[in-house]
Structure formats: structure tokens, C-alpha cells
Amino acid sequence: ETFGGIGPVISNSIFRPRTIFIGLGILSFAFSCQHSSLIIAGSLENPTRERWTRVSRAALGFCATLGIIMGTCGYIGFTE
């Protein structure tokens, strides 16, 4: 048995070359959303920490609601 090398590390890792583009898409979306949050923070009329917290919570709540709706519809759509 040989030890060392990158081959065993890659074969035992969770890295999947077939799904790398899915991961890149998610990361690209996350970074673009982070960039947009700075633009939104700069566009507040009176940018206080309280207002930014309110905007952030509203956005996260909206995204969570959409995620739950989409997940539920997907689950219902693929059950038999």
C-alpha cells in the first residue's frame, strides 16, 4: 500500500468534478448579493444601524419565506 499523493486525498474528499459548476453558481450569487447589500446600505436616507438591521431582517425573512414556499412546492410536486 502506498501512502501520500494527491490522488487518495481527492478520491476520499467531497469534491465532485461533475457538480463544480453548481457550486460556482451558488458562490457567484452569494458574492453578488453581498455586493448589492453595500449598495442598498448606501441608499438608505438616514443610514443608522437600526434601519440597516430592519432592512436586513426583512430581506432575510422574505428570502426564507420564498425558500420555504419553493421547497414545499418542490416536495409536493415530486411525491407520489
Side-chain angles (χ1 to χ4, degrees):
E1 187 172 312
T2 60
F3 296 100
I6 192 72
V9 173
I10 291 176
S11 65
N12 293 328
S13 72
I14 60 171
F15 176 73
R16 305 278 189 269
R18 289 175 284 136
T19 60
I20 192 168
F21 293 109
I22 294 171
L24 289 175
I26 292 170
L27 288 173
S28 299
F29 182 73
F31 284 127
S32 67
C33 289
Q34 183 180 13
H35 175 72
S36 297
S37 68
L38 298 173
I39 295 171
I40 293 169
S43 69
L44 291 174
E45 282 186 24
N46 185 11
T48 62
R49 184 176 292 244
E50 180 183 332
R51 286 180 179 226
W52 177 243
T53 301
R54 194 176 323 145
V55 168
S56 297
R57 285 184 181 165
L60 288 173
F62 182 70
C63 290
T65 303
L66 284 178
I68 290 169
I69 291 170
M70 295 298 290
T72 303
C73 291
Y75 179 78
I76 292 170
F78 287 102
T79 57
E80 293 182 15

Coordinates of all heavy atoms in Angstrom, one line a residue:
E1 N 0.8 -1.2 0.0 CA 0.0 0.0 0.0 C 0.9 1.2 0.0 O 1.8 1.3 0.8 CB -0.9 0.0 1.3 CG -1.9 1.0 1.3 CD -2.9 0.8 2.4 OE1 -3.4 -0.3 2.6 OE2 -3.1 1.8 3.1
T2 N 0.6 2.2 -0.9 CA 1.4 3.4 -0.9 C 0.6 4.5 -0.2 O -0.6 4.5 -0.1 CB 1.6 3.8 -2.4 OG1 0.3 4.1 -3.0 CG2 2.3 2.8 -3.2
F3 N 1.4 5.4 0.4 CA 0.9 6.5 1.1 C 1.3 7.8 0.4 O 2.4 7.9 -0.2 CB 1.4 6.5 2.6 CG 0.9 5.3 3.3 CD1 1.8 4.2 3.5 CD2 -0.3 5.2 3.8 CE1 1.4 3.1 4.2 CE2 -0.8 4.1 4.5 CZ 0.1 3.0 4.7
G4 N 0.5 8.8 0.6 CA 0.8 10.1 0.1 C 0.2 10.3 -1.3 O -0.4 9.5 -1.9
G5 N 0.5 11.5 -1.8 CA 0.0 11.9 -3.1 C -1.4 12.5 -3.0 O -2.1 12.5 -2.0
I6 N -1.7 13.2 -4.1 CA -3.0 13.9 -4.1 C -4.1 13.0 -4.5 O -5.3 13.3 -4.2 CB -2.8 15.2 -5.1 CG1 -4.0 16.1 -5.0 CG2 -2.7 14.7 -6.5 CD1 -4.0 16.9 -3.7
G7 N -3.9 11.9 -5.2 CA -4.9 11.1 -5.7 C -5.8 10.5 -4.6 O -7.1 10.7 -4.7
P8 N -5.3 9.9 -3.5 CA -6.1 9.4 -2.5 C -6.9 10.6 -1.7 O -8.0 10.4 -1.3 CB -5.2 8.7 -1.5 CG -4.0 8.4 -2.3 CD -3.9 9.5 -3.4
V9 N -6.3 11.7 -1.7 CA -6.9 12.8 -1.0 C -8.2 13.3 -1.8 O -9.3 13.5 -1.2 CB -6.0 14.0 -0.8 CG1 -6.7 15.2 -0.3 CG2 -4.8 13.6 0.1
I10 N -8.0 13.4 -3.1 CA -9.2 13.8 -3.9 C -10.2 12.7 -4.0 O -11.4 13.0 -3.9 CB -8.7 14.1 -5.3 CG1 -7.9 15.4 -5.3 CG2 -9.9 14.3 -6.3 CD1 -7.3 15.8 -6.6
S11 N -9.8 11.4 -4.1 CA -10.8 10.4 -4.1 C -11.6 10.2 -2.8 O -12.7 9.7 -2.8 CB -10.2 9.1 -4.5 OG -9.3 8.6 -3.5
N12 N -11.0 10.6 -1.7 CA -11.7 10.5 -0.4 C -12.4 11.8 0.0 O -12.9 11.8 1.1 CB -10.7 10.0 0.7 CG -10.3 8.6 0.4 OD1 -11.0 7.8 -0.1 ND2 -9.0 8.3 0.8
S13 N -12.3 12.8 -0.8 CA -12.9 14.1 -0.4 C -14.3 14.2 -0.9 O -14.8 13.3 -1.6 CB -12.0 15.3 -1.0 OG -12.2 15.3 -2.4
I14 N -15.0 15.3 -0.6 CA -16.3 15.5 -1.0 C -16.3 16.3 -2.3 O -17.4 16.7 -2.8 CB -17.2 16.2 0.0 CG1 -16.6 17.6 0.4 CG2 -17.3 15.3 1.2 CD1 -17.4 18.4 1.3
F15 N -15.2 16.6 -2.9 CA -15.1 17.3 -4.2 C -15.6 16.4 -5.3 O -15.2 15.3 -5.5 CB -13.6 17.7 -4.5 CG -13.4 18.3 -5.8 CD1 -13.8 19.6 -6.0 CD2 -12.8 17.6 -6.8 CE1 -13.6 20.3 -7.2 CE2 -12.6 18.2 -8.0 CZ -13.0 19.6 -8.2
R16 N -16.6 17.0 -6.0 CA -17.2 16.3 -7.1 C -17.1 17.1 -8.4 O -17.7 18.1 -8.6 CB -18.7 16.0 -6.9 CG -19.0 15.3 -5.6 CD -18.9 13.8 -5.7 NE -19.4 13.1 -4.6 CZ -18.7 12.8 -3.5 NH1 -17.5 13.2 -3.5 NH2 -19.2 12.2 -2.5
P17 N -16.2 16.7 -9.3 CA -16.0 17.5 -10.5 C -17.2 17.7 -11.4 O -17.4 18.7 -12.0 CB -14.9 16.7 -11.3 CG -14.3 15.8 -10.3 CD -15.3 15.5 -9.3
R18 N -18.2 16.7 -11.3 CA -19.4 16.9 -12.1 C -20.3 18.0 -11.6 O -21.1 18.5 -12.4 CB -20.2 15.5 -12.1 CG -19.5 14.5 -13.0 CD -20.2 13.2 -12.8 NE -19.9 12.6 -11.5 CZ -20.8 12.0 -10.7 NH1 -22.0 12.0 -11.0 NH2 -20.4 11.6 -9.5
T19 N -20.2 18.3 -10.4 CA -21.1 19.4 -9.8 C -20.4 20.7 -9.5 O -20.9 21.5 -8.8 CB -21.8 18.8 -8.5 OG1 -20.7 18.5 -7.6 CG2 -22.6 17.6 -8.8
I20 N -19.2 20.9 -10.0 CA -18.4 22.1 -9.7 C -19.1 23.3 -10.2 O -19.1 24.4 -9.5 CB -17.0 22.0 -10.2 CG1 -16.2 23.1 -9.6 CG2 -17.0 22.0 -11.7 CD1 -14.7 23.0 -9.8
F21 N -19.8 23.3 -11.3 CA -20.5 24.4 -11.8 C -21.7 24.9 -11.0 O -22.0 26.0 -10.9 CB -20.9 24.2 -13.3 CG -19.7 24.1 -14.2 CD1 -19.4 22.9 -14.7 CD2 -18.8 25.2 -14.4 CE1 -18.2 22.8 -15.5 CE2 -17.7 25.1 -15.2 CZ -17.4 23.9 -15.7
I22 N -22.3 23.9 -10.3 CA -23.4 24.2 -9.4 C -22.9 25.0 -8.2 O -23.4 26.1 -7.8 CB -24.1 23.0 -8.9 CG1 -24.8 22.3 -10.1 CG2 -25.1 23.3 -7.8 CD1 -25.4 20.9 -9.7
G23 N -21.8 24.6 -7.7 CA -21.1 25.3 -6.6 C -20.7 26.7 -7.0 O -20.8 27.6 -6.2
L24 N -20.1 26.8 -8.2 CA -19.6 28.1 -8.6 C -20.8 29.1 -8.8 O -20.7 30.3 -8.5 CB -18.8 28.0 -9.9 CG -17.5 27.3 -9.8 CD1 -16.8 27.1 -11.2 CD2 -16.6 28.1 -8.9
G25 N -21.9 28.6 -9.3 CA -23.1 29.4 -9.4 C -23.6 29.9 -8.1 O -24.0 31.1 -7.9
I26 N -23.6 29.1 -7.1 CA -24.1 29.5 -5.7 C -23.1 30.5 -5.2 O -23.5 31.5 -4.6 CB -24.2 28.2 -4.8 CG1 -25.3 27.4 -5.3 CG2 -24.4 28.6 -3.4 CD1 -25.4 26.0 -4.6
L27 N -21.8 30.3 -5.3 CA -20.8 31.2 -4.8 C -20.9 32.6 -5.5 O -20.8 33.6 -4.9 CB -19.4 30.7 -4.9 CG -19.1 29.6 -3.9 CD1 -17.7 29.0 -4.3 CD2 -19.1 30.0 -2.5
S28 N -21.1 32.5 -6.8 CA -21.2 33.8 -7.6 C -22.5 34.6 -7.1 O -22.4 35.8 -7.0 CB -21.3 33.5 -9.1 OG -20.2 32.8 -9.5
F29 N -23.6 33.9 -6.9 CA -24.8 34.5 -6.5 C -24.6 35.1 -5.1 O -25.0 36.3 -4.8 CB -25.9 33.5 -6.5 CG -27.3 34.1 -6.1 CD1 -27.9 34.9 -6.9 CD2 -27.8 33.9 -4.8 CE1 -29.2 35.5 -6.5 CE2 -29.0 34.4 -4.4 CZ -29.7 35.2 -5.3
A30 N -23.9 34.4 -4.2 CA -23.7 34.9 -2.9 C -22.8 36.2 -2.9 O -23.1 37.2 -2.2 CB -23.0 33.8 -2.0
F31 N -21.8 36.2 -3.7 CA -20.9 37.4 -3.8 C -21.6 38.5 -4.4 O -21.4 39.7 -4.0 CB -19.6 37.0 -4.5 CG -18.7 36.2 -3.7 CD1 -18.1 35.1 -4.2 CD2 -18.3 36.7 -2.4 CE1 -17.2 34.3 -3.4 CE2 -17.4 35.9 -1.7 CZ -16.9 34.8 -2.2
S32 N -22.5 38.3 -5.4 CA -23.2 39.4 -6.0 C -24.2 40.0 -5.0 O -24.5 41.2 -5.0 CB -23.9 39.0 -7.3 OG -24.9 38.1 -7.1
C33 N -24.8 39.1 -4.2 CA -25.8 39.6 -3.2 C -25.0 40.4 -2.1 O -25.5 41.5 -1.6 CB -26.5 38.5 -2.5 SG -27.7 37.7 -3.6
Q34 N -23.8 40.0 -1.8 CA -23.1 40.8 -0.8 C -22.7 42.1 -1.4 O -22.8 43.1 -0.6 CB -21.8 40.0 -0.5 CG -21.0 40.7 0.6 CD -19.7 39.9 0.9 OE1 -19.3 39.0 0.2 NE2 -19.0 40.2 2.0
H35 N -22.3 42.2 -2.6 CA -22.0 43.5 -3.3 C -23.3 44.4 -3.3 O -23.2 45.6 -3.0 CB -21.5 43.2 -4.7 CG -21.3 44.5 -5.4 ND1 -20.3 45.3 -5.2 CD2 -22.0 45.0 -6.5 CE1 -20.3 46.4 -6.0 NE2 -21.3 46.2 -6.8
S36 N -24.4 43.8 -3.6 CA -25.7 44.6 -3.6 C -26.1 45.1 -2.2 O -26.7 46.2 -2.1 CB -26.8 43.7 -4.2 OG -26.5 43.3 -5.5
S37 N -25.7 44.4 -1.2 CA -26.1 44.8 0.1 C -25.4 46.2 0.5 O -25.9 47.0 1.2 CB -25.8 43.8 1.2 OG -24.4 43.6 1.3
L38 N -24.2 46.3 0.0 CA -23.5 47.6 0.2 C -24.1 48.7 -0.5 O -24.2 49.9 0.0 CB -22.0 47.5 -0.2 CG -21.2 46.4 0.5 CD1 -19.8 46.3 -0.1 CD2 -21.1 46.8 2.0
I39 N -24.6 48.5 -1.7 CA -25.4 49.5 -2.5 C -26.6 49.9 -1.8 O -27.0 51.0 -1.6 CB -25.6 49.0 -3.9 CG1 -24.3 48.8 -4.6 CG2 -26.5 50.0 -4.6 CD1 -24.5 48.1 -6.0
I40 N -27.4 48.9 -1.2 CA -28.6 49.1 -0.5 C -28.3 49.9 0.8 O -29.1 50.8 1.1 CB -29.3 47.8 -0.2 CG1 -29.8 47.2 -1.5 CG2 -30.5 48.0 0.7 CD1 -30.3 45.8 -1.4
A41 N -27.3 49.5 1.5 CA -26.9 50.2 2.7 C -26.6 51.7 2.4 O -27.0 52.6 3.2 CB -25.8 49.6 3.4
G42 N -25.9 52.0 1.3 CA -25.6 53.3 0.9 C -26.8 54.1 0.5 O -26.8 55.4 0.4
S43 N -27.9 53.5 0.1 CA -29.0 54.2 -0.5 C -30.1 54.5 0.6 O -31.1 55.2 0.3 CB -29.7 53.4 -1.6 OG -30.3 52.2 -1.0
L44 N -29.8 54.1 1.8 CA -30.8 54.5 2.9 C -30.7 56.0 3.1 O -29.6 56.6 3.2 CB -30.4 53.7 4.2 CG -30.7 52.2 4.2 CD1 -30.2 51.6 5.5 CD2 -32.2 51.9 4.0
E45 N -31.9 56.6 3.4 CA -31.9 58.0 3.6 C -31.1 58.4 4.9 O -30.4 59.4 4.9 CB -33.4 58.5 3.7 CG -34.0 58.7 2.3 CD -35.4 59.3 2.5 OE1 -35.7 60.0 3.5 OE2 -36.2 59.0 1.6
N46 N -31.4 57.8 5.9 CA -30.8 58.0 7.2 C -30.1 56.7 7.6 O -30.7 56.0 8.4 CB -31.8 58.5 8.2 CG -31.1 58.9 9.5 OD1 -29.9 59.1 9.6 ND2 -32.0 59.2 10.5
P47 N -28.9 56.4 7.2 CA -28.4 55.1 7.4 C -27.9 54.9 8.8 O -26.8 55.1 9.2 CB -27.2 55.0 6.4 CG -26.8 56.4 6.2 CD -28.1 57.2 6.4
T48 N -28.8 54.4 9.6 CA -28.4 54.0 11.0 C -28.4 52.5 11.1 O -28.9 51.8 10.3 CB -29.5 54.6 12.0 OG1 -30.7 54.0 11.7 CG2 -29.6 56.1 11.9
R49 N -27.8 52.1 12.2 CA -27.7 50.6 12.4 C -29.1 50.0 12.6 O -29.3 48.9 12.1 CB -26.8 50.4 13.7 CG -26.6 48.9 13.9 CD -25.7 48.7 15.1 NE -24.4 49.2 14.8 CZ -23.3 48.4 14.7 NH1 -23.4 47.1 14.9 NH2 -22.1 48.9 14.4
E50 N -30.0 50.7 13.2 CA -31.3 50.2 13.4 C -32.1 50.0 12.0 O -32.7 49.0 11.8 CB -32.1 51.2 14.3 CG -33.6 50.7 14.5 CD -34.3 51.7 15.4 OE1 -33.7 52.5 16.1 OE2 -35.6 51.8 15.2
R51 N -31.9 51.0 11.2 CA -32.6 50.9 9.8 C -32.0 49.7 9.0 O -32.6 49.0 8.3 CB -32.5 52.2 9.1 CG -33.4 53.2 9.6 CD -33.2 54.5 8.8 NE -34.2 55.5 9.3 CZ -34.9 56.2 8.5 NH1 -34.8 56.1 7.2 NH2 -35.7 57.1 9.0
W52 N -30.6 49.6 9.1 CA -30.0 48.5 8.3 C -30.4 47.2 8.9 O -30.6 46.2 8.1 CB -28.5 48.7 8.4 CG -27.8 47.6 7.7 CD1 -26.9 46.7 8.2 CD2 -27.9 47.2 6.3 NE1 -26.5 45.8 7.3 CE2 -27.1 46.1 6.1 CE3 -28.6 47.7 5.2 CZ2 -26.9 45.5 4.9 CZ3 -28.5 47.1 4.0 CH2 -27.7 46.0 3.8
T53 N -30.5 47.1 10.2 CA -31.0 45.8 10.8 C -32.4 45.5 10.4 O -32.7 44.3 10.0 CB -30.9 45.9 12.4 OG1 -29.6 46.2 12.8 CG2 -31.4 44.7 13.0
R54 N -33.3 46.5 10.3 CA -34.6 46.3 9.9 C -34.7 45.8 8.4 O -35.4 44.9 8.0 CB -35.4 47.6 10.0 CG -36.9 47.4 9.9 CD -37.7 48.6 10.2 NE -37.2 49.5 11.2 CZ -37.2 50.8 11.2 NH1 -37.8 51.4 10.2 NH2 -36.7 51.5 12.1
V55 N -33.9 46.5 7.5 CA -33.8 46.1 6.1 C -33.3 44.7 6.0 O -33.8 43.9 5.2 CB -33.0 47.1 5.3 CG1 -32.7 46.6 3.9 CG2 -33.7 48.4 5.2
S56 N -32.3 44.3 6.7 CA -31.6 43.0 6.6 C -32.6 41.9 7.1 O -32.7 40.9 6.4 CB -30.4 43.0 7.5 OG -29.4 43.8 7.0
R57 N -33.3 42.2 8.2 CA -34.3 41.2 8.7 C -35.4 41.0 7.7 O -35.9 39.9 7.5 CB -34.8 41.6 10.1 CG -33.8 41.4 11.1 CD -34.3 41.7 12.5 NE -33.3 41.5 13.5 CZ -33.3 41.9 14.7 NH1 -34.4 42.6 15.1 NH2 -32.4 41.7 15.6
A58 N -35.9 42.1 7.1 CA -37.0 42.0 6.2 C -36.5 41.2 5.0 O -37.3 40.3 4.5 CB -37.5 43.4 5.8
A59 N -35.3 41.4 4.5 CA -34.8 40.7 3.3 C -34.6 39.2 3.6 O -35.0 38.4 2.8 CB -33.5 41.3 2.8
L60 N -34.1 38.9 4.8 CA -33.9 37.5 5.1 C -35.2 36.8 5.4 O -35.3 35.7 5.0 CB -33.0 37.4 6.4 CG -31.5 37.8 6.1 CD1 -30.8 37.8 7.5 CD2 -30.9 36.8 5.2
G61 N -36.1 37.5 6.0 CA -37.5 36.9 6.1 C -38.1 36.6 4.8 O -38.8 35.6 4.6
F62 N -38.0 37.6 3.9 CA -38.6 37.4 2.6 C -38.0 36.2 1.9 O -38.7 35.4 1.3 CB -38.4 38.7 1.8 CG -39.1 38.6 0.4 CD1 -40.4 38.6 0.2 CD2 -38.2 38.6 -0.7 CE1 -41.0 38.5 -1.0 CE2 -38.8 38.5 -2.0 CZ -40.2 38.5 -2.2
C63 N -36.6 36.1 1.9 CA -35.9 35.0 1.3 C -36.3 33.7 1.9 O -36.4 32.7 1.2 CB -34.4 35.3 1.3 SG -33.9 36.6 0.2
A64 N -36.4 33.7 3.2 CA -36.7 32.4 3.9 C -38.1 32.0 3.5 O -38.4 30.8 3.3 CB -36.6 32.6 5.4
T65 N -39.1 32.9 3.5 CA -40.4 32.6 3.1 C -40.5 32.0 1.6 O -41.1 31.0 1.4 CB -41.3 33.9 3.1 OG1 -41.3 34.4 4.5 CG2 -42.7 33.6 2.8
L66 N -39.7 32.7 0.7 CA -39.7 32.2 -0.6 C -39.1 30.8 -0.7 O -39.5 29.9 -1.4 CB -38.9 33.1 -1.5 CG -39.6 34.4 -2.0 CD1 -38.7 35.2 -2.8 CD2 -40.9 34.1 -2.7
G67 N -38.0 30.6 0.1 CA -37.4 29.3 0.2 C -38.3 28.2 0.7 O -38.3 27.1 0.1
I68 N -39.0 28.5 1.7 CA -40.0 27.5 2.2 C -41.1 27.2 1.2 O -41.5 26.1 1.0 CB -40.6 28.0 3.6 CG1 -39.5 28.0 4.7 CG2 -41.8 27.2 4.0 CD1 -39.9 28.7 5.9
I69 N -41.6 28.2 0.6 CA -42.7 28.0 -0.4 C -42.1 27.2 -1.6 O -42.8 26.2 -2.0 CB -43.2 29.4 -0.9 CG1 -44.0 30.1 0.2 CG2 -44.1 29.2 -2.2 CD1 -44.4 31.5 -0.2
M70 N -41.0 27.5 -2.1 CA -40.4 26.8 -3.2 C -40.0 25.3 -2.8 O -40.3 24.4 -3.6 CB -39.1 27.5 -3.8 CG -39.4 28.8 -4.4 SD -40.5 28.7 -5.8 CE -39.4 27.9 -7.0
G71 N -39.5 25.2 -1.6 CA -39.2 23.8 -1.1 C -40.4 23.0 -0.9 O -40.4 21.8 -1.3
T72 N -41.5 23.6 -0.4 CA -42.7 22.8 -0.2 C -43.3 22.4 -1.5 O -43.8 21.3 -1.7 CB -43.7 23.7 0.6 OG1 -43.1 24.0 1.9 CG2 -45.0 22.9 0.9
C73 N -43.4 23.4 -2.5 CA -43.9 23.1 -3.8 C -43.1 22.0 -4.5 O -43.7 21.1 -5.1 CB -44.0 24.3 -4.6 SG -45.2 25.5 -4.1
G74 N -41.8 22.1 -4.4 CA -41.0 21.0 -5.0 C -41.2 19.7 -4.3 O -41.2 18.7 -5.0
Y75 N -41.3 19.7 -3.0 CA -41.5 18.4 -2.3 C -42.9 17.8 -2.7 O -43.0 16.6 -3.0 CB -41.5 18.6 -0.8 CG -41.7 17.4 0.0 CD1 -40.8 16.4 0.2 CD2 -43.0 17.2 0.6 CE1 -41.0 15.3 0.9 CE2 -43.2 16.1 1.3 CZ -42.2 15.1 1.5 OH -42.5 14.0 2.2
I76 N -43.9 18.6 -2.8 CA -45.2 18.2 -3.1 C -45.2 17.7 -4.6 O -45.9 16.7 -5.0 CB -46.3 19.3 -2.9 CG1 -46.4 19.5 -1.4 CG2 -47.6 18.9 -3.5 CD1 -47.3 20.7 -1.0
G77 N -44.5 18.4 -5.4 CA -44.5 18.1 -6.9 C -43.8 16.8 -7.2 O -44.1 16.1 -8.2
F78 N -42.9 16.4 -6.4 CA -42.2 15.1 -6.7 C -42.6 13.9 -5.8 O -41.9 12.9 -5.8 CB -40.7 15.4 -6.6 CG -40.1 16.2 -7.7 CD1 -39.9 17.5 -7.6 CD2 -40.0 15.6 -9.0 CE1 -39.4 18.3 -8.6 CE2 -39.5 16.3 -10.0 CZ -39.2 17.7 -9.9
T79 N -43.6 14.1 -5.0 CA -44.1 12.9 -4.2 C -45.1 12.2 -5.0 O -45.8 12.8 -5.9 CB -44.7 13.4 -2.9 OG1 -45.7 14.3 -3.1 CG2 -43.6 14.0 -2.0
E80 N -45.3 11.0 -4.7 CA -46.3 10.2 -5.4 C -47.4 9.8 -4.5 O -47.3 9.5 -3.4 CB -45.7 8.9 -6.0 CG -44.7 9.3 -7.1 CD -44.1 8.1 -7.8 OE1 -44.6 7.0 -7.6 OE2 -43.1 8.3 -8.5

